[in-house]
Amino acid sequence: MGIYGIRACLAAAPKVTPLSKILIANRGEIACRVIRSAKRLGIQTVAVYSDADRNAMHVAMADSAIRLGPAPSVESYLRQDKVLEAAFKTGAQAIHPGYGFLSENVEFAELCSKEGIIFIGPPASAIRDMGIKSTSKHIMSAAGVPVIHGYHGVDQTDEKLRHEAEKIGFPLMIKAVRGGGGKGMRIALTPSEFENQLESAKREAQKSFGDQVMLLERYVERPRHVEVQCTATPSEDHRRSTRYVGAGTVEFIMDPQQNFFFMEMNTRLQVEHPVSEMITNTDLVEWQLRVASGEPLPLDQSQIHLNGHAFEARIYAEEPKNNFLPGAGPLLHLTTPKPSSDVRVETGVAQGDVVSVFYDPMIAKLVVWSSDRPSALRKLRSCLSEYNIVGLNTNVDFLVQLSSHPKFIEGDVHTDFITQHHGDLFPSKPVTDSLVGQAVLASILNEINVSSSQQGWTSDPYSPFASYPMSRLNHSYQKNVKIMCQDNTYDVRVTSCENGLYKLKVGQSEEIDVSAKLSVSDNVTSIELSANGEISKSRVVFLNGNVHLFTKDGSVAFAMEKPSFLTSLGQGSIKQGGAVAPMPGIIEKILVKDGEEVKLGQPLLVMIAMKMEYIIRAPESGVVQKVNYKVGDSVAKNAALVRFVSTDKK
């Protein structure tokens, strides 16, 4: 949870070089965000893409696009030579790196300068000073800014890091010096965890940033993050600790006693920059473009006034109930809140697109504004209920639960909030008879609507449509349905009556009289059920024989018949999915071999998914019969990774 603000620093500007064409060295929502501001300013845009992104939204939005290479980012978006080649080929004057990928890469900023391409960001010297966490902490400490105690040295041998870790004490934070977004970051709670956590952080940092230098810090428990968005133009004031140009994000940690400590600086545009934009009525991407062309900032600090309150919710393809494991897959159905002056949907995907295993699984950023915090939070919850996705798991329901929690509403938040309130945030929600009834009647009414639109009504008693429960047929119709939800099967009996009325019986519950109406407005289908004087409403999506209900409190999926699955890994299949891929990913490291004996909890292999590292462990002792994949292989969710013989079954 962060507190976001904006600081502007003005100075005499250098010669103005208007930008007419820029290249965006990124993908997804940030690429689309930059393109929108550039187009508004009349600047032509060039997109770059990997093979996985050939039909992506940012490619469609740009004036032109250049292929970089295969799907893995190390072969495409991190290829500095390919990005520069694309800039030269298209005549782009400048490169906007967005965030992630090359945005905080010193070597790339230097290369752009050397080749005469404007890097829309701070100079390489500032990235080196402030973007590398260990260097920035030395600078801030020398300037009198409190920093967290830790080791930021150049000696990166395992022996030295172990020695420094013992001096600092546990729990301990391990961070990649060029990290960001949680990548290359681990917490070692005890000395026994240190070596494995260090190795894991290094591997992930190398994959994400091309560098595995680490720093160690005391772990501050129950902190709050306080972030400040900064933007500066060139200055001749040599008293500054670092000569910074462009946008940057300064992050602090505040402990429960409200002591502030400098944590790091991201030498790029803040991911949450829309929050600052909405409470200051600014366009910070426009500011970046103007600064890069040599123009002064549109406002100085005295002209920036905070107005109202804004929230940003990141919509992710992930499984919150499974430790927020990232996901991937098709967006078979996607409905978003309607954008307006106080509701922004920052996204790079549309219905029918695929969230790829190769990149960060963020689907969108939902940003809302209102005059005060309580009303902004209410608006956020309302908009989340209108963010309806089918095809993969998302965190939308979790965000609804989080934003409804009393402590969150009070503002009593910290980085351990989820752990502290886990039971409240992941409640066991019963499936009510009302929801079952809505799903069944919605399915029946939809079937009628589809049939009537395709065939037309008929009074022919031998027509299959004569048996549908329509009042014009002037007779009752009874249908028995089995519907499944959350591993439970419900026997439902529906009897149609006249004038759109029904008798509904769910399981052993008493039969009740209900009315139901299916309607469509703005391409959104809704079901309204009236029973016992109470009217309940839900949005509804029909897909592949399933009925998905979206209520103000979250979503529920129903299957009209129980699917049959047969998963066999051979003799001694690992229980609890230990040898099964929990998500789509790429095999990074294999830690066992065929015939090897393993113990409960022993790491079997390492997967990379969405640039994050995941260790697959043995849930019981046994013998590895066969490792089914090799390093570099792509695997689907639920793929059998290791064939395993349990010790008890040998």
Side-chain angles (χ1 to χ4, degrees):
M1 178 55 52
I3 301 172
Y4 309 108
I6 182 171
R7 297 285 299 178
C9 184
L10 285 171
K15 180 182 177 181
V16 175
T17 305
L19 298 178
S20 59
K21 181 184 284 190
I22 65 170
L23 181 145
I24 299 95
N26 217 297
R27 64 177 301 279
E29 59 87 17
I30 183 56
C32 296
R33 168 72 185 87
V34 174
I35 291 171
R36 282 194 296 271
S37 285
K39 283 183 175 292
R40 185 173 57 79
L41 297 172
I43 300 173
Q44 294 183 49
T45 56
V46 180
V48 291
Y49 64 91
S50 71
D51 290 344
D53 284 338
R54 171 61 184 85
N55 299 311
M57 182 183 291
H58 74 282
V59 175
M61 288 179 62
D63 296 303
S64 60
I66 299 292
R67 176 184 178 272
L68 293 178
S73 56
V74 293
E75 300 179 51
S76 51
Y77 295 104
L78 290 175
R79 283 288 301 271
Q80 301 179 30
D81 57 336
K82 292 285 189 180
V83 172
L84 279 171
E85 181 183 325
F88 288 130
K89 183 176 182 179
T90 58
Q93 301 160 276
I95 295 176
H96 194 303
Y99 34 69
F101 292 137
L102 299 173
S103 63
E104 298 178 83
N105 189 291
V106 175
E107 294 76 18
F108 183 65
E110 288 177 333
L111 191 57
C112 287
S113 178
K114 178 182 176 182
E115 298 295 338
I117 298 289
I118 298 172
F119 179 77
I120 303 177
S125 59
I127 297 176
R128 183 179 292 107
D129 288 346
M130 298 305 295
I132 297 177
K133 292 179 173 60
S134 54
T135 307
S136 66
K137 288 179 183 295
H138 287 305
I139 291 173
M140 298 300 275
S141 180
V145 179
V147 298
I148 300 174
H149 175 60
Y151 175 69
H152 315 133
V154 295
D155 187 345
Q156 289 286 305
T157 61
D158 289 349
E159 293 77 15
K160 178 63 174 178
L161 293 175
R162 160 68 72 175
H163 175 70
E164 294 296 333
E166 291 172 350
K167 284 172 56 178
I168 296 167
F170 293 86
L172 180 80
M173 180 72 77
I174 305 169
K175 290 183 182 179
V177 298
R178 298 197 185 195
K183 308 289 193 303
M185 183 183 299
R186 296 290 186 272
I187 298 173
L189 298 176
T190 64
S192 62
E193 295 181 359
F194 179 75
E195 184 176 340
N196 287 337
Q197 296 290 55
L198 175 64
E199 182 184 352
S200 179
K202 283 184 174 182
R203 283 197 302 265
E204 191 169 277
Q206 185 66 42
K207 285 287 183 181
S208 298
F209 315 110
D211 185 284
Q212 54 179 293
V213 177
M214 295 286 140
L215 62 81
L216 310 176
E217 290 180 342
R218 175 175 65 88
Y219 177 61
V220 179
E221 300 187 74
R222 291 173 55 88
R224 289 193 68 167
H225 282 179
V226 180
E227 303 187 6
V228 179
Q229 175 76 74
C230 300
T231 306
T233 52
S235 172
E236 297 303 321
D237 185 355
H238 297 285
R239 294 171 298 176
R240 290 188 186 177
S241 296
T242 182
R243 301 180 66 183
Y244 199 90
V245 178
T249 308
V250 185
E251 298 188 28
F252 298 87
I253 274 195
M254 182 180 73
D255 68 16
Q257 291 72 45
Q258 297 191 347
N259 297 307
F260 279 80
F261 303 94
F262 171 78
M263 186 171 67
E264 64 187 39
M265 182 174 187
N266 300 131
T267 55
R268 48 143 173 89
L269 187 68
Q270 187 181 32
V271 178
E272 292 81 12
H273 72 274
V275 171
S276 296
E277 291 180 328
M278 294 191 81
I279 62 175
T280 59
N281 193 30
T282 56
D283 182 338
L284 296 179
V285 173
E286 176 186 344
W287 284 30
Q288 285 187 292
L289 298 176
R290 292 192 181 281
V291 169
S293 67
E295 296 182 36
L297 293 178
L299 302 172
D300 66 24
Q301 192 63 46
S302 65
Q303 296 172 302
I304 297 174
H305 304 290
L306 303 185
N307 178 32
H309 200 98
F311 279 97
E312 175 180 304
R314 297 193 195 182
I315 311 297
Y316 270 93
E318 63 183 9
E319 299 181 51
K321 292 183 178 180
N322 193 12
N323 199 28
F324 295 90
L325 278 176
L331 294 163
L332 301 179
H333 174 88
L334 174 61
T335 303
T336 73
K338 185 176 295 185
S340 65
S341 60
D342 53 8
V343 176
R344 287 170 60 170
V345 178
E346 302 280 343
T347 189
V349 294
Q351 181 171 298
D353 287 346
V354 174
V355 177
S356 171
V357 66
F358 293 99
Y359 313 114
D360 186 271
M362 185 165 68
I363 296 170
K365 298 184 305 193
L366 171 63
V367 193
V368 303
W369 177 94
S370 191
S371 58
D372 54 49
R373 188 178 189 276
S375 59
L377 191 55
R378 287 195 297 271
K379 184 174 293 184
L380 177 67
R381 289 196 294 269
S382 177
C383 288
L384 284 169
S385 71
E386 297 173 2
Y387 221 114
N388 308 148
I389 300 174
V390 176
L392 40 66
N393 292 312
T394 76
N395 64 340
V396 173
D397 286 355
F398 169 78
L399 292 171
V400 170
Q401 203 69 34
L402 174 68
S403 59
S404 304
H405 195 281
K407 290 296 183 181
F408 190 93
I409 295 173
E410 292 174 11
D412 182 11
V413 295
H414 47 81
T415 58
D416 292 330
F417 189 91
I418 296 175
T419 301
Q420 181 179 352
H421 301 289
H422 192 274
D424 297 333
L425 298 175
F426 297 95
S428 177
K429 291 185 177 180
V431 178
T432 64
D433 288 355
S434 174
L435 289 173
V436 175
Q438 288 181 55
V440 171
L441 285 167
S443 179
I444 291 174
L445 292 174
N446 181 64
E447 184 181 354
I448 294 171
N449 290 343
V450 170
S451 298
S452 64
S453 65
Q454 292 178 346
Q455 303 290 339
W457 293 117
T458 176
S459 58
D460 180 359
Y462 296 101
S463 167
F465 304 108
S467 63
Y468 281 116
M470 299 298 294
S471 58
R472 70 167 63 187
L473 301 181
N474 199 29
H475 73 279
S476 295
Y477 171 85
Q478 183 172 296
K479 187 170 186 176
N480 295 311
V481 176
K482 285 186 180 294
I483 191 168
M484 189 181 75
C485 181
Q486 298 177 2
D487 296 326
N488 294 315
T489 300
Y490 301 87
D491 293 308
V492 182
R493 186 178 71 211
V494 178
T495 305
S496 71
C497 305
E498 295 183 352
N499 302 318
L501 299 178
Y502 301 87
K503 291 185 180 296
L504 177 69
K505 180 175 175 59
V506 179
Q508 300 302 312
S509 299
E510 182 180 349
E511 187 175 64
I512 58 174
D513 295 326
V514 303
S515 64
K517 180 173 66 175
L518 197 66
S519 60
V520 180
S521 177
D522 293 330
N523 293 319
V524 174
T525 304
S526 300
I527 179 70
E528 178 181 299
L529 181 72
S530 177
N532 297 324
E534 181 178 348
I535 298 175
S536 53
K537 302 177 182 179
S538 299
R539 291 181 166 206
V540 60
V541 174
F542 306 99
L543 192 65
N544 299 330
N546 295 335
V547 181
H548 301 263
L549 297 182
F550 296 90
T551 75
K552 291 293 183 181
D553 298 320
S555 62
V556 188
F558 292 87
M560 298 308 293
E561 59 182 28
K562 188 172 183 178
S564 179
F565 296 104
L566 181 61
T567 303
S568 176
L569 304 180
Q571 183 183 8
S573 301
I574 275 191
K575 300 176 182 177
Q576 306 171 20
V580 174
M583 76 212 83
I586 299 170
I587 302 300
E588 170 69 10
K589 191 174 183 179
I590 296 174
L591 306 174
V592 295
K593 59 182 182 293
D594 295 354
E596 181 176 343
E597 290 193 15
V598 295
K599 295 182 179 179
L600 171 66
Q602 180 175 332
L604 302 176
L605 50 83
V606 178
M607 284 180 57
I608 295 289
M610 286 73 182
K611 300 189 289 186
M612 300 288 280
E613 185 175 275
Y614 297 89
I615 298 174
I616 309 300
R617 299 177 183 274
E620 56 183 329
S621 298
V623 176
V624 174
Q625 192 175 52
K626 181 176 176 56
V627 178
N628 292 328
Y629 294 89
K630 63 181 184 299
V631 172
D633 283 352
S634 296
V635 297
K637 181 178 179 179
N638 294 327
L641 302 177
V642 177
R643 194 180 300 274
F644 183 85
V645 180
S646 170
T647 300
D648 295 336
K649 298 178 181 179
K650 289 177 60 181

Short mmCIF file of all heavy atoms in Angstrom, two decimals, residues 115-144:
data_model
loop_
_atom_site.label_atom_id
_atom_site.label_comp_id
_atom_site.label_asym_id
_atom_site.label_seq_id
_atom_site.Cartn_x
_atom_site.Cartn_y
_atom_site.Cartn_z
N GLU A 115 24.46 6.64 -29.71
CA GLU A 115 23.95 6.51 -31.07
C GLU A 115 23.09 7.70 -31.49
O GLU A 115 22.51 7.69 -32.59
CB GLU A 115 23.13 5.21 -31.19
CG GLU A 115 23.93 3.95 -30.95
CD GLU A 115 25.00 3.72 -32.00
OE1 GLU A 115 24.87 4.28 -33.10
OE2 GLU A 115 25.97 2.98 -31.72
N GLY A 116 22.97 8.70 -30.63
CA GLY A 116 22.22 9.90 -30.99
C GLY A 116 20.72 9.75 -30.89
O GLY A 116 19.97 10.53 -31.50
N ILE A 117 20.25 8.78 -30.12
CA ILE A 117 18.82 8.57 -29.88
C ILE A 117 18.49 9.11 -28.49
O ILE A 117 19.20 8.82 -27.52
CB ILE A 117 18.45 7.08 -29.96
CG1 ILE A 117 18.74 6.52 -31.35
CG2 ILE A 117 16.99 6.87 -29.60
CD1 ILE A 117 17.82 7.00 -32.43
N ILE A 118 17.43 9.89 -28.39
CA ILE A 118 17.01 10.42 -27.09
C ILE A 118 16.40 9.30 -26.25
O ILE A 118 15.46 8.62 -26.70
CB ILE A 118 16.00 11.57 -27.26
CG1 ILE A 118 16.64 12.74 -28.02
CG2 ILE A 118 15.49 12.04 -25.90
CD1 ILE A 118 15.65 13.82 -28.40
N PHE A 119 16.93 9.10 -25.06
CA PHE A 119 16.36 8.15 -24.11
C PHE A 119 15.38 8.92 -23.23
O PHE A 119 15.78 9.84 -22.51
CB PHE A 119 17.47 7.51 -23.27
CG PHE A 119 16.98 6.54 -22.24
CD1 PHE A 119 16.59 5.25 -22.60
CD2 PHE A 119 16.90 6.90 -20.90
CE1 PHE A 119 16.14 4.35 -21.63
CE2 PHE A 119 16.46 6.01 -19.93
CZ PHE A 119 16.08 4.72 -20.30
N ILE A 120 14.10 8.59 -23.30
CA ILE A 120 13.09 9.32 -22.54
C ILE A 120 13.12 8.83 -21.10
O ILE A 120 12.34 7.96 -20.68
CB ILE A 120 11.70 9.17 -23.18
CG1 ILE A 120 11.76 9.66 -24.63
CG2 ILE A 120 10.65 9.98 -22.40
CD1 ILE A 120 10.47 9.49 -25.38
N GLY A 121 14.04 9.38 -20.37
CA GLY A 121 14.28 9.01 -18.98
C GLY A 121 15.51 9.74 -18.50
O GLY A 121 16.07 10.58 -19.22
N PRO A 122 15.96 9.47 -17.30
CA PRO A 122 17.13 10.15 -16.76
C PRO A 122 18.40 9.73 -17.49
O PRO A 122 18.43 8.68 -18.15
CB PRO A 122 17.16 9.70 -15.29
CG PRO A 122 16.44 8.40 -15.29
CD PRO A 122 15.37 8.52 -16.34
N PRO A 123 19.47 10.54 -17.38
CA PRO A 123 20.74 10.15 -18.00
C PRO A 123 21.31 8.91 -17.34
O PRO A 123 20.96 8.56 -16.20
CB PRO A 123 21.62 11.38 -17.77
CG PRO A 123 21.03 12.06 -16.59
CD PRO A 123 19.56 11.83 -16.68
N ALA A 124 22.21 8.25 -18.05
CA ALA A 124 22.80 7.01 -17.54
C ALA A 124 23.46 7.21 -16.19
O ALA A 124 23.40 6.33 -15.32
CB ALA A 124 23.80 6.46 -18.55
N SER A 125 24.08 8.38 -15.98
CA SER A 125 24.75 8.64 -14.70
C SER A 125 23.76 8.63 -13.54
O SER A 125 24.06 8.11 -12.46
CB SER A 125 25.49 9.97 -14.76
OG SER A 125 24.58 11.04 -15.04
N ALA A 126 22.57 9.18 -13.76
CA ALA A 126 21.56 9.20 -12.70
C ALA A 126 20.99 7.81 -12.47
O ALA A 126 20.70 7.43 -11.33
CB ALA A 126 20.44 10.17 -13.06
N ILE A 127 20.81 7.04 -13.54
CA ILE A 127 20.33 5.66 -13.38
C ILE A 127 21.34 4.86 -12.58
O ILE A 127 20.99 4.08 -11.69
CB ILE A 127 20.09 5.00 -14.75
CG1 ILE A 127 19.00 5.74 -15.53
CG2 ILE A 127 19.70 3.53 -14.57
CD1 ILE A 127 18.78 5.21 -16.92
N ARG A 128 22.63 5.07 -12.90
CA ARG A 128 23.68 4.35 -12.19
C ARG A 128 23.69 4.74 -10.70
O ARG A 128 23.81 3.89 -9.83
CB ARG A 128 25.04 4.66 -12.81
CG ARG A 128 26.19 3.89 -12.17
CD ARG A 128 27.51 4.21 -12.85
NE ARG A 128 27.56 3.68 -14.22
CZ ARG A 128 27.47 4.44 -15.30
NH1 ARG A 128 27.33 5.76 -15.19
NH2 ARG A 128 27.53 3.89 -16.50
N ASP A 129 23.55 6.03 -10.43
CA ASP A 129 23.62 6.49 -9.04
C ASP A 129 22.38 6.10 -8.24
O ASP A 129 22.48 5.63 -7.11
CB ASP A 129 23.77 8.02 -9.01
CG ASP A 129 25.15 8.46 -9.45
OD1 ASP A 129 26.06 7.60 -9.52
OD2 ASP A 129 25.33 9.66 -9.74
N MET A 130 21.20 6.33 -8.82
CA MET A 130 19.97 6.16 -8.06
C MET A 130 19.24 4.86 -8.38
O MET A 130 18.48 4.36 -7.55
CB MET A 130 19.02 7.34 -8.32
CG MET A 130 19.59 8.68 -7.89
SD MET A 130 20.13 8.72 -6.15
CE MET A 130 18.56 8.48 -5.31
N GLY A 131 19.44 4.31 -9.56
CA GLY A 131 18.74 3.09 -9.94
C GLY A 131 19.34 1.85 -9.32
O GLY A 131 18.64 0.86 -9.11
N ILE A 132 20.65 1.88 -9.04
CA ILE A 132 21.29 0.76 -8.37
C ILE A 132 21.12 0.97 -6.86
O ILE A 132 21.62 1.95 -6.30
CB ILE A 132 22.78 0.66 -8.75
CG1 ILE A 132 22.89 0.40 -10.26
CG2 ILE A 132 23.47 -0.43 -7.97
CD1 ILE A 132 24.30 0.36 -10.78
N LYS A 133 20.40 0.08 -6.22
CA LYS A 133 19.97 0.31 -4.85
C LYS A 133 21.11 0.59 -3.88
O LYS A 133 21.02 1.45 -3.01
CB LYS A 133 19.14 -0.88 -4.37
CG LYS A 133 17.80 -1.02 -5.08
CD LYS A 133 17.04 -2.23 -4.58
CE LYS A 133 15.64 -2.30 -5.15
NZ LYS A 133 15.62 -2.38 -6.61
N SER A 134 22.20 -0.14 -4.03
CA SER A 134 23.31 0.04 -3.09
C SER A 134 23.91 1.43 -3.23
O SER A 134 24.20 2.10 -2.23
CB SER A 134 24.37 -1.03 -3.33
OG SER A 134 24.78 -1.04 -4.69
N THR A 135 24.09 1.91 -4.46
CA THR A 135 24.66 3.25 -4.69
C THR A 135 23.71 4.32 -4.18
O THR A 135 24.15 5.30 -3.55
CB THR A 135 24.93 3.46 -6.19
OG1 THR A 135 25.74 2.39 -6.68
CG2 THR A 135 25.64 4.78 -6.43
N SER A 136 22.43 4.18 -4.46
CA SER A 136 21.46 5.20 -4.04
C SER A 136 21.40 5.32 -2.53
O SER A 136 21.24 6.42 -1.99
CB SER A 136 20.07 4.88 -4.60
OG SER A 136 19.55 3.70 -4.03
N LYS A 137 21.56 4.21 -1.83
CA LYS A 137 21.53 4.27 -0.37
C LYS A 137 22.74 5.02 0.17
O LYS A 137 22.64 5.77 1.15
CB LYS A 137 21.44 2.86 0.22
CG LYS A 137 20.07 2.21 0.02
CD LYS A 137 20.02 0.82 0.58
CE LYS A 137 18.68 0.16 0.30
NZ LYS A 137 17.57 0.85 1.00
N HIS A 138 23.91 4.83 -0.46
CA HIS A 138 25.09 5.59 -0.04
C HIS A 138 24.87 7.09 -0.26
O HIS A 138 25.20 7.92 0.59
CB HIS A 138 26.32 5.12 -0.83
CG HIS A 138 26.82 3.77 -0.41
ND1 HIS A 138 27.16 3.48 0.90
CD2 HIS A 138 27.06 2.64 -1.13
CE1 HIS A 138 27.58 2.23 0.98
NE2 HIS A 138 27.53 1.69 -0.25
N ILE A 139 24.28 7.44 -1.41
CA ILE A 139 24.04 8.85 -1.73
C ILE A 139 23.05 9.46 -0.75
O ILE A 139 23.27 10.56 -0.22
CB ILE A 139 23.52 8.99 -3.18
CG1 ILE A 139 24.64 8.63 -4.17
CG2 ILE A 139 23.00 10.40 -3.44
CD1 ILE A 139 24.17 8.57 -5.60
N MET A 140 21.96 8.76 -0.49
CA MET A 140 20.93 9.30 0.41
C MET A 140 21.42 9.37 1.85
O MET A 140 21.12 10.31 2.58
CB MET A 140 19.67 8.45 0.31
CG MET A 140 19.04 8.44 -1.07
SD MET A 140 18.54 10.09 -1.64
CE MET A 140 16.92 10.22 -0.89
N SER A 141 22.20 8.40 2.25
CA SER A 141 22.76 8.41 3.59
C SER A 141 23.70 9.60 3.78
O SER A 141 23.66 10.29 4.80
CB SER A 141 23.48 7.10 3.88
OG SER A 141 24.03 7.08 5.18
N ALA A 142 24.53 9.85 2.75
CA ALA A 142 25.46 10.99 2.81
C ALA A 142 24.71 12.32 2.84
O ALA A 142 25.21 13.31 3.38
CB ALA A 142 26.41 10.94 1.62
N ALA A 143 23.49 12.32 2.25
CA ALA A 143 22.68 13.54 2.24
C ALA A 143 21.86 13.70 3.51
O ALA A 143 21.09 14.66 3.64
CB ALA A 143 21.76 13.52 1.02
N GLY A 144 22.01 12.77 4.45
CA GLY A 144 21.31 12.88 5.72
C GLY A 144 19.94 12.24 5.75
O GLY A 144 19.18 12.45 6.70
#
